[in-house]
Amino acid sequence: MRKSGKNLWIDAFSRVYVEEGAESFPLTAQILRNLPKAAVIPVGRYGELFSRKGQDFRLQKNAPQLILAVKREGFFFPGAKVCENFGRANFFYSSQILNCLYDCAYCYLQGVYDSANLVVFVNIEHTFREISTFLSRAPMYLCVSYDTDLLALDRLTGLAERWYEFAETKSNLMIELRTKCSNIGFLRRKDVNPNFVLAWTLSPERVCGLYERGSSSLKQRLAALREAVDLGYTVRICLDPLLAVPDFEKLYGELIEEIFSVVKGDELLDVSVGTFRISGEYLKRLRKNRPDCALTRYPFTLRDGVYSYPPEKSAAMLGFVRGKLLHYVRETQIYITDF
């Protein structure tokens, strides 16, 4: 059975490593208050721990630890080509947390980092300052939850709420927060900001159970999505990544029917659809970390430095899902990522 819960992090972090210089930030004090039983261990630079060679990602994932650090550069980056930009010219992402509490078998983060431990950059104010400077010149579309799931850690860090409060002060900033979590408690206390997009990644329940360990169930995600819509928030659905699992058409057909038994198409901003894809440099490490996972052993095709299903396979998967979606949403609401 998938381990899931509102406060999964309570049992996850028995040790907190605090980088030199990070101890003075308010977010550090907040996190340590929320983890009163954790051993606090000072370190020099976080990279000495997080980026050292020879770590066992899978072993660490069973008992990840927390590293509190100071972000000194790279406060935001241009969005990757494998991500949907929804027609936005100034498309960026920002990572206040590295790594995710959840353990999805297909997650690209396993190919990015040597460590399964989580890094929280506690100087969020510096990130806000850099983004504010950019916004003084041009608008921005910013994704803040690609390298983690901020909602899954929000009761520990409060960072999802901090981003929401920041967005309330910037009329030319649109933020997307993508999640597999059902924790939307802080949103009940807020005035609705239409420029804050809540994007739920939804998978068939069988996929959630087999391959998305620790995440909220499909029913929990849909209940949170329904509540967010009722509260007046802007909501996007992400059927991304589509996975070539047995009984693909049956499972994804049932998923789409279940989604639209809960929400109407005109209540959604749009639907993002894409097949599994991963940068070439990450796939080898992902396969090493998941040697027994059929999802990642698929004979992918390399195109422009990105591995995905062969073009005819991707086209069939995308075409099937698009056809099912057109029963519920307008064609202009469907964004398909293919390359």
Side-chain angles (χ1 to χ4, degrees):
M1 182 178 294
R2 181 175 70 252
K3 183 180 180 181
S4 180
K6 293 182 178 179
N7 294 330
L8 186 62
W9 48 265
I10 286 179
D11 299 320
F13 305 125
S14 61
R15 297 189 299 277
V16 181
Y17 297 90
V18 181
E19 183 186 62
E20 183 178 357
E23 65 277 356
S24 62
F25 286 88
L27 183 53
T28 297
Q30 174 187 327
I31 291 171
L32 294 180
R33 283 195 302 270
N34 285 330
L35 295 171
K37 296 182 180 179
V40 179
I41 304 169
V43 295
R45 287 295 182 95
Y46 84 92
E48 298 169 5
L49 182 67
F50 185 69
S51 303
R52 74 178 190 273
K53 299 301 181 182
Q55 300 183 80
D56 188 325
F57 191 99
R58 290 308 315 152
L59 184 62
Q60 288 183 348
K61 196 67 181 176
N62 291 326
Q65 304 304 326
L66 193 63
I67 304 170
L68 307 184
V70 177
K71 183 182 284 287
R72 295 175 171 85
E73 60 183 3
F75 294 93
F76 59 93
F77 300 93
K81 67 178 181 179
V82 296
C83 300
E84 179 57 65
N85 66 5
F86 301 98
R88 306 282 175 168
N90 297 321
F91 169 52
F92 295 91
Y93 75 94
S94 182
S95 298
Q96 207 65 31
I97 300 178
L98 305 181
N99 267 333
C100 185
L101 189 59
Y102 297 153
D103 187 18
C104 297
Y106 54 84
C107 181
Y108 76 98
L109 293 176
Q110 300 165 92
V112 178
Y113 303 123
D114 293 303
S115 176
N117 293 325
L118 283 80
V119 178
V120 177
F121 294 109
V122 294
N123 55 328
I124 182 69
E125 298 83 3
H126 295 167
T127 300
F128 290 161
R129 182 181 64 201
E130 294 296 316
I131 291 173
S132 295
T133 299
F134 183 95
L135 292 170
S136 69
R137 304 188 302 267
M140 177 187 287
Y141 185 89
L142 182 68
C143 296
V144 298
S145 194
Y146 272 3
D147 290 341
T148 191
D149 194 312
L150 283 183
L151 278 186
L153 290 160
D154 197 55
R155 287 187 174 89
L156 174 63
T157 68
L159 284 171
E161 186 168 3
R162 292 290 300 277
W163 276 114
Y164 193 89
E165 292 169 348
F166 178 69
E168 288 181 308
T169 70
K170 306 295 180 182
S171 62
N172 59 344
L173 172 64
M174 178 168 278
I175 284 180
E176 181 198 91
L177 189 148
R178 189 166 296 196
T179 188
K180 295 175 183 174
C181 183
S182 56
N183 168 31
I184 62 167
F186 81 88
L187 294 171
R188 301 184 187 110
R189 307 189 301 268
K190 301 295 183 183
D191 293 330
V192 173
N193 178 1
N195 285 337
F196 194 92
V197 179
L198 296 162
W200 266 279
T201 297
L202 301 177
S203 304
E205 187 58 58
R206 187 187 300 177
V207 171
C208 295
L210 290 174
Y211 302 117
E212 298 178 357
R213 186 163 69 102
S215 66
S216 297
S217 69
L218 174 62
K219 290 187 181 299
Q220 288 171 327
R221 295 181 216 179
L222 287 175
L225 183 156
R226 179 67 256 173
E227 183 178 0
V229 168
D230 289 340
L231 289 170
Y233 287 98
T234 303
V235 172
R236 162 177 294 139
I237 283 175
C238 302
L239 304 181
D240 186 359
L242 301 178
L243 300 168
V245 293
D247 297 323
F248 171 86
E249 292 190 356
K250 178 178 184 294
L251 292 179
Y252 280 90
E254 290 173 350
L255 169 64
I256 292 169
E257 290 179 5
E258 187 167 359
I259 290 169
F260 291 100
S261 71
V262 172
V263 66
K264 296 179 181 177
D266 59 8
E267 294 179 305
L268 299 172
L269 176 63
D270 50 42
V271 182
S272 173
V273 185
T275 54
F276 174 83
R277 56 206 182 275
I278 187 170
S279 298
E281 60 187 287
Y282 299 152
L283 181 61
K284 183 177 180 180
R285 190 179 297 177
L286 174 59
R287 284 175 165 170
K288 179 182 177 181
N289 287 322
R290 293 280 188 176
D292 57 345
C293 181
L295 290 180
T296 61
R297 306 308 300 180
Y298 193 94
F300 298 113
T301 297
L302 180 65
R303 288 181 284 164
D304 299 326
V306 178
Y307 281 98
S308 187
Y309 301 115
E312 62 277 10
K313 180 73 171 178
S314 289
M317 294 166 68
L318 293 169
F320 172 79
V321 170
R322 176 182 173 275
K324 290 292 184 181
L325 288 172
L326 285 174
H327 293 291
Y328 303 99
V329 300
R330 302 182 304 277
E331 187 166 8
T332 54
Q333 287 180 277
I334 303 173
Y335 282 86
I336 293 181
T337 300
D338 195 18
F339 49 91

